[in-house]
Amino acid sequence: MMRLDKFLADMGQGTRSEVKTYIKKGMVKVNGTIAKRPELKINEKDDKVFISDKEVIYARYEYFMLNKPSGYVSATEDRSEHTVLELITENLRDDLFPVGRLDKDTEGLLIISNDGDMAHRLLSPVNHVGKVYYARVDGFVTEEHVKIFSEGIDIGGGITTKPGNLKILKSADESEIELKIYEGKFHQVKRMFEAVGMKVIYLKRISMGEIALDNSLKAGEFRRLTEEEVSRLKGLV
Ligand code: URA
């Protein structure tokens, strides 16, 4: 059971105060009867809720894949910056959040959901979920770096990372690499390269656990996860 106004706001029908206004105006029906009280308790799974004669179907959890562009912060709200949630324009229910963080200037795979248990499992270090990043790095990345990263590296602040799996795609003045890590320390990839005297100049996450970024999504675009991806995300297959 849940309050009618919360139900409508969670299902993306407007902010809590907007949906209260719709209710007061008589635009909302529950099981065929106009409901005038925002605090009315409804059974979200069985009751038939209509707003302006359009049925509002209950979806407990939603899962989106966003190709995060640079310039957006991984937060639900921010006073001065644009947030990744502003990019999920399809269904702005008010309980969505980004699952983990990417830096403002980092691009790539970010899962947006309202499933707290899944987020916890995905992010908890005990589960060792691998995250793969593509980066362009200033300077020559060599096999020596591969070895150093594979042993874990002191990134300052008393933190030594777990072993990371570094793959060199191009070793040049500006190198290209893929790095798989199993934890998510603040600025981890950038700090791992800083620890060997190098600077990351472009960073993009390309996978998280069993979920890979859909290459057809341009930066700033999103789509819902397929059912199969949701199952994989939850570790069911
Ligand atoms: N590592 C970083 O340095 N930044 C990110 O956004 C993600 C991982």
Side-chain angles (χ1 to χ4, degrees):
M1 301 290 280
M2 70 195 288
R3 283 175 61 121
L4 179 59
D5 57 350
K6 176 164 171 37
F7 170 81
L8 291 171
D10 283 358
M11 292 312 113
Q13 301 300 317
T15 62
R16 200 76 171 247
S17 69
E18 280 166 355
V19 301
K20 276 186 181 147
T21 312
Y22 302 151
I23 296 167
K24 297 244 163 75
K25 282 187 178 165
M27 292 161 65
V28 179
K29 282 187 189 160
V30 177
N31 299 328
T33 307
I34 290 177
K36 286 269 186 164
R37 289 187 308 121
E39 65 277 13
L40 177 74
K41 282 276 197 303
I42 60 153
N43 180 332
E44 63 276 17
K45 289 189 193 109
D46 297 332
D47 287 339
K48 296 264 175 228
V49 180
F50 282 73
I51 185 161
S52 303
D53 293 325
K54 201 169 149 263
E55 186 166 11
V56 182
I57 307 279
Y58 180 66
R60 174 128 195 241
Y61 293 128
E62 311 233 36
Y63 304 88
F64 298 94
M65 166 189 294
L66 170 69
N67 183 357
K68 180 190 172 298
S70 176
Y72 286 75
V73 294
S74 300
T76 49
E77 286 179 340
D78 197 282
R79 281 187 185 193
S80 53
E81 306 278 3
H82 287 294
T83 72
V84 289
L85 281 187
E86 292 170 30
L87 297 163
I88 309 298
T89 47
E90 183 179 305
N91 178 359
L92 204 56
R93 51 190 291 166
D94 67 0
D95 57 354
L96 293 174
F97 56 86
V99 179
R101 279 167 188 274
L102 291 176
D103 296 338
K104 186 177 165 192
D105 62 353
T106 300
E107 298 191 347
L109 176 63
L110 191 62
I111 291 171
I112 310 275
S113 180
N114 60 333
D115 182 344
D117 285 345
M118 175 278 298
H120 181 73
R121 284 199 306 276
L122 200 65
L123 300 175
S124 168
V126 295
N127 289 330
H128 303 287
V129 174
K131 284 154 261 186
V132 179
Y133 292 86
Y134 162 86
R136 287 201 294 274
V137 180
D138 193 14
F140 281 82
V141 177
T142 66
E143 289 304 322
E144 182 61 20
H145 297 118
V146 174
K147 182 161 174 290
I148 295 171
F149 280 23
S150 74
E151 288 163 355
I153 179 167
D154 179 350
I155 56 171
I159 301 171
T160 299
T161 68
K162 297 207 176 74
N165 198 341
L166 178 60
K167 196 161 100 188
I168 302 172
L169 305 177
K170 180 178 158 195
S171 183
D173 278 350
E174 189 181 301
S175 298
E176 289 179 44
I177 61 96
E178 272 178 23
L179 176 61
K180 185 169 189 179
I181 55 174
Y182 296 87
E183 50 195 341
K185 307 283 186 221
F186 189 55
H187 296 326
Q188 182 162 339
V189 176
K190 292 173 186 166
R191 285 164 73 192
M192 287 174 82
F193 279 98
E194 268 161 29
V196 293
M198 302 181 100
K199 192 168 160 46
V200 169
I201 42 192
Y202 173 79
L203 186 60
K204 177 177 186 176
R205 181 156 63 199
I206 54 180
S207 73
M208 215 172 162
E210 299 298 310
I211 306 294
L213 178 65
D214 182 336
N215 285 329
S216 70
L217 293 176
K218 299 198 189 81
E221 290 183 346
F222 70 94
R223 68 159 168 80
R224 282 173 191 275
L225 292 190
T226 62
E227 277 182 28
E228 210 250 318
E229 285 169 330
V230 172
S231 308
R232 271 193 267 146
L233 192 64
K234 293 179 174 175
L236 298 179
V237 292

